[in-house]
Amino acid sequence: MMKSIIDKISAHLRQRMHDQVIAAAPWYVGDPCYIIPDDDWGEFCDLTCKHSQRNGSGHVDSVINWHGQQITLWTNGGDGTWSFTGLKSANGKTSFGVDAGIFCVINLNALPAHEADISDGILFETEPDLYVDDDIVYLNDQHDDSVQECEGWRCRRIITPDEYMCCEYGNCDEGCDSCFECSCCEECGESECVCGDEE
C-alpha cells in the first residue's frame, strides 16, 4: 500500500517537472517520433507523405500543419545522430538522434498534453533556426560536428573529414582538397630542400 502511494507521488512529481521544463523551454529540436504519441504517429506520417516535398535535390521532407503549428520536416540521408559542440540549449544537450529519418522544430506547448520523452531532443527557450544546406545540418547557424571549417590558406570552406589534407612531413599548412599545397622535397621532407635533390 505504501509503495503504491509513493509510486503515485513519484509519477506525479515527474510529470510536474516534465511540464515545467516544457513551459520554460518549449522548443524541441529532434526526431518527432519521440514526442508524437504512438496513437497519433500514423496520422502524422500520413500528413508527411501527403505533403512530401522530396524532389531528389532538397532536404525538406515535408511541411505540415500539426495542431495549429506549421512544421518543416528535414531529412539528411536517414538515421543517425547530429551533434553541435558548444551549442547552448535549455536542457544542456548538444545532440539529437534520428530514427525516423526526419527531424524538425516543434513547439511542445502547442501539442496536446502527453508523456513524451523530451530527453531525446534539444530544448530551447525561443524558437531555434534549423535547416540543411549542401548535406550539412545547421542549428542556430552552427554546422553539425560531421564537418569542419577549412582553415588552411584561409579557404574557410566547410569540409568533411575525407576532404581534409595535411603534409606527410608536418611542414605545410593543413587544408582541404581544393586549397592544400605541399612544396616539401620528396627526398629530405623539408619545405626548403637541404639534400639538393629537389628539382
Side-chain angles (χ1 to χ4, degrees):
M1 175 74 164
M2 183 60 83
K3 183 178 182 327
S4 174
I5 292 172
I6 291 172
D7 289 346
K8 285 181 182 177
I9 292 172
S10 295
H12 174 73
L13 290 174
R14 277 193 306 276
Q15 185 62 45
R16 194 166 158 199
M17 284 176 50
H18 179 273
D19 294 344
Q20 288 173 344
V21 168
I22 290 176
W27 295 98
Y28 170 93
V29 175
D31 190 329
C33 78
Y34 299 125
I35 58 167
I36 303 298
D38 291 343
D39 292 345
D40 297 333
W41 183 242
E43 180 184 350
F44 187 90
C45 290
D46 289 346
L47 267 176
T48 64
C49 290
K50 182 178 178 183
H51 297 283
S52 176
Q53 295 189 13
R54 289 190 188 190
N55 59 12
S57 61
H59 292 281
V60 173
D61 177 88
S62 53
V63 178
I64 65 170
N65 189 298
W66 185 255
H67 293 282
Q69 67 177 304
Q70 182 173 297
I71 300 171
T72 301
L73 295 146
W74 297 91
T75 185
N76 197 33
D79 301 344
T81 300
W82 304 103
S83 299
F84 305 84
T85 301
L87 183 73
K88 304 288 187 217
S89 68
N91 60 343
K93 290 200 67 168
T94 59
S95 66
F96 63 86
V98 175
D99 283 329
I102 52 176
F103 46 94
C104 61
V105 174
I106 293 180
N107 185 336
L108 297 172
N109 283 332
L111 299 180
H114 59 80
E115 298 179 13
D117 184 2
I118 57 175
S119 66
D120 288 314
I122 304 174
L123 298 179
F124 294 90
E125 294 174 8
T126 57
E127 184 175 6
D129 187 27
L130 173 71
Y131 62 95
V132 181
D133 184 34
D134 198 22
D135 297 329
I136 302 167
V137 180
Y138 291 87
L139 182 54
N140 286 344
D141 293 323
Q142 182 177 337
H143 61 73
D144 69 81
D145 293 346
S146 70
V147 294
Q148 65 187 24
E149 188 177 90
C150 176
E151 296 179 6
W153 300 91
R154 307 295 184 257
C155 172
R156 300 291 184 208
R157 199 168 64 91
I158 300 296
I159 61 171
T160 60
D162 60 336
E163 294 175 287
Y164 173 82
M165 301 182 78
C166 62
C167 172
E168 66 180 285
Y169 307 107
N171 297 328
C172 303
D173 289 336
E174 300 166 342
C176 69
D177 57 4
S178 67
C179 72
F180 175 74
E181 292 181 17
C182 181
S183 58
C184 293
C185 171
E186 292 183 17
E187 294 299 318
C188 66
E190 296 297 323
S191 56
E192 292 187 20
C193 178
V194 295
C195 70
D197 287 342
E198 188 178 67
E199 290 296 329

